[in-house]
Amino acid sequence: MLSNREYLQYHLFIPGILFTLLVVVLEFSNIDLFIADLIYQIGGAGWTYQENYFVSEIMHTKAKGLVKILAVGLFVVAIGSQFVNGLKPYRKALWYLALVMPLSGLLVGIGKELTHVDCPWNLLRYGGENPYLRLFETHPGDYPYGKCFPAAHAGAGFTFVALYFFLSIVRPAWRWYGLAVGVVLGLAFGITQQIRGAHFISHDLWTAAICWINSLGWYWFFFLREKVVQPVAVTVKN
């Protein structure tokens, strides 16, 4: 069994280093634009699949609605764990999952309000009205801030990485399946929005990192914190 320090090394420090390297590469290269250019040019210049029924209606609108329904259902199950004997052994883990997943989505939403990044479809390069700005570039202030970073829809998928930590408690042998669910859903939802012209790949990377760090942080708070040992009074007999 890993110590707390070893656990953080494998789940925070190493992923953090990898994330930082990827951010640097994406920020100082044109990979975002290169991928978006390829998508934009499919079928002729334009976001050909922006209003495609499968991509727009099924993978975006209906998938988002389904995730919301699952979140409500999970919250109901967590409440039920307070009263149903069969669920009581999993009560703490269920509350962790029911609270952490919406919190990941909330953090992504807050990020969209604090940053200035436009969607690809808003950029001059792709028929929009605004110039392309990198994440750490200063906004000139002469046009409205963009509200496209991080990627909320990809976040609806990446919030499921919390299953990795949930299953680490209730069924440790299955935790990698939980991680796979979160990664696959996040990539599927993220690629959906890239195809529509709503996001760059870097947006999805940051979203995945937010969901992972939030899930890890609350897992540490719920389950890994070192308990403060209260001193025990010792009575000395004469």
Side-chain angles (χ1 to χ4, degrees), residues 182-203:
V183 171
V184 169
L185 285 176
L187 289 175
F189 291 173
I191 291 171
T192 291
Q193 289 298 79
Q194 289 179 50
I195 290 173
R196 297 183 67 233
H199 291 290
F200 290 114
I201 190 173
S202 62
H203 300 187

Side-chain angles (χ1 to χ4, degrees), residues 53-101:
Y53 180 79
F54 177 75
V55 174
S56 177
E57 187 67 20
I58 303 297
M59 289 298 293
H60 182 244
T61 303
K62 293 189 182 302
K64 183 166 57 176
L66 179 60
V67 170
K68 289 180 180 179
I69 291 172
L70 288 173
V72 172
L74 181 57
F75 193 73
V76 170
V77 172
I79 294 175
S81 70
Q82 299 290 122
F83 309 101
V84 179
N85 289 334
L87 293 176
K88 284 184 177 180
Y90 309 106
R91 180 169 51 195
K92 191 173 182 180
L94 285 168
W95 276 113
Y96 162 82
L97 196 61
L99 294 175
V100 167
M101 291 178 65

Side-chain angles (χ1 to χ4, degrees), residues 144-161:
Y145 278 25
K147 300 294 181 183
C148 292
F149 178 91
H153 192 53
F158 283 125
T159 57
F160 284 86
V161 297

Side-chain angles (χ1 to χ4, degrees), residues 219-234:
Y219 177 76
W220 178 88
F221 181 82
F222 270 75
F223 303 107
L224 294 184
R225 293 188 295 164
E226 292 183 357
K227 303 296 183 182
V228 177
V229 179
Q230 299 296 331
V232 178
V234 178

Side-chain angles (χ1 to χ4, degrees), residues 1-222:
M1 184 175 179
L2 296 177
S3 67
N4 283 7
R5 182 175 180 179
E6 290 172 327
Y7 195 89
L8 290 177
Q9 176 182 340
Y10 288 114
H11 292 81
L12 178 61
F13 302 139
I14 293 177
I17 291 171
L18 178 60
F19 166 72
T20 301
L21 291 174
L22 289 173
V23 165
V24 170
V25 170
L26 289 171
E27 183 68 15
F28 294 100
S29 72
N30 290 319
I31 294 176
D32 268 347
L33 294 175
F34 175 77
I35 294 174
D37 285 352
L38 291 177
I39 297 171
Y40 187 73
Q41 292 164 9
I42 294 175
W47 300 110
T48 309
Y49 294 97
Q50 184 173 351
E51 302 301 331
N52 175 272
Y53 180 79
F54 177 75
V55 174
S56 177
E57 187 67 20
I58 303 297
M59 289 298 293
H60 182 244
T61 303
K62 293 189 182 302
K64 183 166 57 176
L66 179 60
V67 170
K68 289 180 180 179
I69 291 172
L70 288 173
V72 172
L74 181 57
F75 193 73
V76 170
V77 172
I79 294 175
S81 70
Q82 299 290 122
F83 309 101
V84 179
N85 289 334
L87 293 176
K88 284 184 177 180
Y90 309 106
R91 180 169 51 195
K92 191 173 182 180
L94 285 168
W95 276 113
Y96 162 82
L97 196 61
L99 294 175
V100 167
M101 291 178 65
L103 281 174
S104 289
L106 178 62
L107 288 174
V108 172
I110 291 173
K112 290 169 73 73
E113 295 300 317
L114 297 178
T115 54
H116 62 255
V117 179
D118 282 294
C119 302
W121 59 37
N122 293 134
L123 301 179
L124 287 166
R125 186 184 186 99
Y126 306 114
E129 299 179 350
N130 300 333
Y132 171 67
L133 293 177
R134 299 180 188 277
L135 176 61
F136 297 106
E137 284 187 280
T138 302
H139 192 283
D142 54 2
Y143 61 91
Y145 278 25
K147 300 294 181 183
C148 292
F149 178 91
H153 192 53
F158 283 125
T159 57
F160 284 86
V161 297
L163 287 172
Y164 171 83
F165 300 101
F166 170 76
L167 290 171
S168 293
I169 296 299
V170 303
R171 193 67 63 89
W174 290 9
R175 66 189 186 279
W176 295 108
Y177 297 117
L179 180 61
V181 169
V183 171
V184 169
L185 285 176
L187 289 175
F189 291 173
I191 291 171
T192 291
Q193 289 298 79
Q194 289 179 50
I195 290 173
R196 297 183 67 233
H199 291 290
F200 290 114
I201 190 173
S202 62
H203 300 187
D204 296 343
L205 172 64
W206 278 88
T207 299
I210 290 169
C211 293
W212 178 260
I213 292 172
N214 181 60
S215 299
L216 173 61
W218 286 105
Y219 177 76
W220 178 88
F221 181 82
F222 270 75

